[in-house]
């Protein structure tokens, strides 16, 4: 099923001056005067409006500026809103990633175009150059929504990115620090909302591809619109075979047609099926949804072998599984693919050859959950995502281009849960630890947990153990939608579990 994120449908449902307003009224210019009157009434009679995104309504400020009313989130209540709400804000990630030295996005240019889906808060951000006067920005922690009217075309930002391409000098006119393919890939994934999940969503590769193209429409790479450089194959179906092949042939032809500074270079994103390194021939990667493989340069192969070890191991495991299935294809008891294994996503800077082949100058691989496409580096984290999906959680994978020992932000956040003391919290961190983790690494995670606890964020710990066939994810923090008795029982189950814990601060069970 390919259902888009229903951000605006669920995000804005308000009670203003005693009257409820749904999405239709908020989007209609015909209701602008009515909304202004309602906000004036709310301001003078109640002192606030209400956001109905959660079961417990949340207050909104009613402000007057330039003789028009608008609404703003109450201080420190941004994380309490539904993660799909227009008033949702969470400064936790921004502060944590800033302390980790991640790059900063300057205010970009706004122009009128078809608006993409609202991007998720992205802790891993791309360095960009401002290309025009920035739009007005609400103060930190105070999301503002002007309900005067809804324009037919929303302003869309376009970020200018300088990408380092092997064998080429980075463009010097922009005055920016160039980023590598890995940083671009991680930033695109987050901007496309593929690092987070809401219980109302459904996602497959077709939907992920669409979200990537929507975000590409807001970026330029080395002076070229990213949507013109990006190719992500549509999902292969037998009925669409001709269309898929035609689009691929057109992409290959474009590699030899393009002129200018980026002649013949494009960005290819696709799930990877296998890696082959035959003797006396260039290494190749076989991509899902495409019939032709792509070649890898020696530098690209060396990089993925050194920097993408977990995905490379996964591709080797996939190849072994394929061989077993081919060997047993004629038997009744053919093996079934283990759905707990990650999918491997490939990101490539590619060029064409005189014989119509496609070669990657640069490559980067990332393990993702095979159905939601949320980054998940190991089978254990795939199991964790499965459990979060099954139990109806809103959650987020926090990507950071830093070494594990230098991380200051948690890897996972789950939203709107009951804390270890039985009180609702806006979010909790999830930490998956290996039993073989070094004392130094455990100390870093403890320091992070203490820092999060000082901000009111508890940490749920899981140390996977036992035989793989029998391994299960232990109880997760209960959602704040569950009844008090049920939530109390889940917290008790966590307390009794041998391989998990839920604490404010570090866990005494898993201390170094």
């Amino acid at each position: 099923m390919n259902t888009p994120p229903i951000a605006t449908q669920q995000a804005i449902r308000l009670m203003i001056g005693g009257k409820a307003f749904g999405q239709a009224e908020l989007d209609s210019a015909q209701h602008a005067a009515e909304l202004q009157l309602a906000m004036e009434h709310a301001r003078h009679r109640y002192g606030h409006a209400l956001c109905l995104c959660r079961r417990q309504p949340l207050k909104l400020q009613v402000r007057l500026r330039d003789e028009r009313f608008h609404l703003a989130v109450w201080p420190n209540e941004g994380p309490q809103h539904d993660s799909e709400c227009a008033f949702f804000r969470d400064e936790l990630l921004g502060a944590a990633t800033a302390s980790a030295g991640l790059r900063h996005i300057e205010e970009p240019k706004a122009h009128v175009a078809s608006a993409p889906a609202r991007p998720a808060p992205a802790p891993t951000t791309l360095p960009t150059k401002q290309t025009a006067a920035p739009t007005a920005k609400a103060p930190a922690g105070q999301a503002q929504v002007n309900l005067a009217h809804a324009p037919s075309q929303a302003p869309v930002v376009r970020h200018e990115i300088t990408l380092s391409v092997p064998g080429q000098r980075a463009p010097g006119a922009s005055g920016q620090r160039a980023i590598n393919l890995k940083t671009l890939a991680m930033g695109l994934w987050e901007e496309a909302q593929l690092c987070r999940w809401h219980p109302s969503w459904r996602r497959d590769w077709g939907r992920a591809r669409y979200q990537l193209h929507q975000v590409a429409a807001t970026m330029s790479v080395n002076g070229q619109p990213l949507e013109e450089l990006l190719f992500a194959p549509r999902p292969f179906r037998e009925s669409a075979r001709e269309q898929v092949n035609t689009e691929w042939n057109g992409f290959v032809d474009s590699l030899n047609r393009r002129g200018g500074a980026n002649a013949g270079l494009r960005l290819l994103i696709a799930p990877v099926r296998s890696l082959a390194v035959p003797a006396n021939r260039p290494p190749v990667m076989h991509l899902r949804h495409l019939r032709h493989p792509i070649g890898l340069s020696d530098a690209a192969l060396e990089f993925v072998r050194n920097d993408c070890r977990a995905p490379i191991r996964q591709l080797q495991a996939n190849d072994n599984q394929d061989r077993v299935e081919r060997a047993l294809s004629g038997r009744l008891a053919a093996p079934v693919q283990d759905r707990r294994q990650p999918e491997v996503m490939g990101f490539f800077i590619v060029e064409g050859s005189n014989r119509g082949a496609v070669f990657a100058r640069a490559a980067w691989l990332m393990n993702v959950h095979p159905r939601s496409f949320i980054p998940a580096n190991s089978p254990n984290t795939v199991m964790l995502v499965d459990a979060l999906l099954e139990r109806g959680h809103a959650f987020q994978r926090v990507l950071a281009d830093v070494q594990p020992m230098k991380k200051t932000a948690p890897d996972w956040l789950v939203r709107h849960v009951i804390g270890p003391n039985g009180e609702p919290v806006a979010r909790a961190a999830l930490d998956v630890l290996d039993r073989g983790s070094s004392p130094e690494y455990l100390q870093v995670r403890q320091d992070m947990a203490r820092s999060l606890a000082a901000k009111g964020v508890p940490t749920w710990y899981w140390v996977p153990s036992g035989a793989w066939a029998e391994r299960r994810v232990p109880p997760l923090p209960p959602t704040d939608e569950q009844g008090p008795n049920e939530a109390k029982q889940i917290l008790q189950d966590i307390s009794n579990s041998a391989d998990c814990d839920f604490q404010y601060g570090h866990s005494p069970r898993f201390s170094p």
Side-chain angles (χ1 to χ4, degrees), residues 236-417:
F236 179 83
R237 297 179 179 85
E238 190 61 39
S239 60
R241 174 192 293 270
E242 184 176 350
Q243 183 180 15
V244 172
N245 292 337
T246 299
E247 290 176 349
W248 173 253
N249 291 335
F251 169 70
V252 174
D253 291 342
S254 72
L255 294 176
N256 296 317
R257 285 200 313 263
R258 294 187 59 84
N262 295 299
L265 291 176
R266 300 284 292 274
L267 176 64
L268 171 62
I269 302 177
V272 181
R273 187 173 72 248
S274 64
L275 167 65
V277 187
N280 302 321
R281 285 192 295 170
V284 295
M285 277 194 175
H286 297 267
L287 308 180
R288 299 194 189 279
H289 312 295
L290 294 173
R291 61 178 179 175
H292 295 294
I294 65 169
L296 293 180
S297 68
D298 292 339
L301 177 63
E302 182 180 3
F303 180 83
V304 296
R305 278 178 165 172
N306 292 331
D307 202 67
C308 308
R309 295 180 181 179
I312 290 294
R313 286 195 298 269
Q314 188 58 49
L315 291 177
Q316 292 171 344
N318 293 347
D319 186 56
N320 293 337
Q321 179 72 12
D322 289 343
R323 291 181 181 181
V324 171
E325 290 185 358
R326 286 195 298 268
L328 299 178
S329 59
R331 304 181 185 181
L332 294 178
V336 178
Q337 184 177 5
D338 190 344
R339 291 170 57 85
R340 295 180 295 181
Q341 298 297 323
E343 177 79 276
V344 178
M345 289 301 307
F347 304 82
F348 310 95
I349 298 176
V350 297
E351 59 185 344
S353 72
N354 295 333
R355 299 182 178 180
V358 177
F359 284 90
R361 281 198 190 186
W364 188 67
L365 306 177
M366 176 174 68
N367 282 349
V368 299
H369 184 265
R371 291 168 293 285
S372 68
F373 294 91
I374 292 171
N377 203 42
S378 68
N380 287 325
T381 51
V382 169
M383 291 177 63
L384 175 63
V385 174
D386 279 336
L388 289 163
L389 295 174
E390 179 184 350
R391 300 171 199 180
H393 285 284
F395 62 96
Q396 181 174 353
R397 171 71 163 93
V398 185
L399 285 179
D401 189 10
V402 295
Q403 295 297 320
M405 292 292 291
K406 296 182 179 180
K407 284 186 178 180
T408 59
D411 293 329
W412 301 88
L413 285 177
V414 61
R415 302 197 177 276
H416 308 302
V417 296

Side-chain angles (χ1 to χ4, degrees), residues 51-58 80-82 416 480-481:
C51 179
L52 308 180
C53 67
R54 302 280 299 152
R55 183 170 59 180
Q56 180 65 38
L58 296 164
Q80 297 180 27
H81 288 261
D82 188 274
H416 308 302
D480 60 7
E481 298 287 336

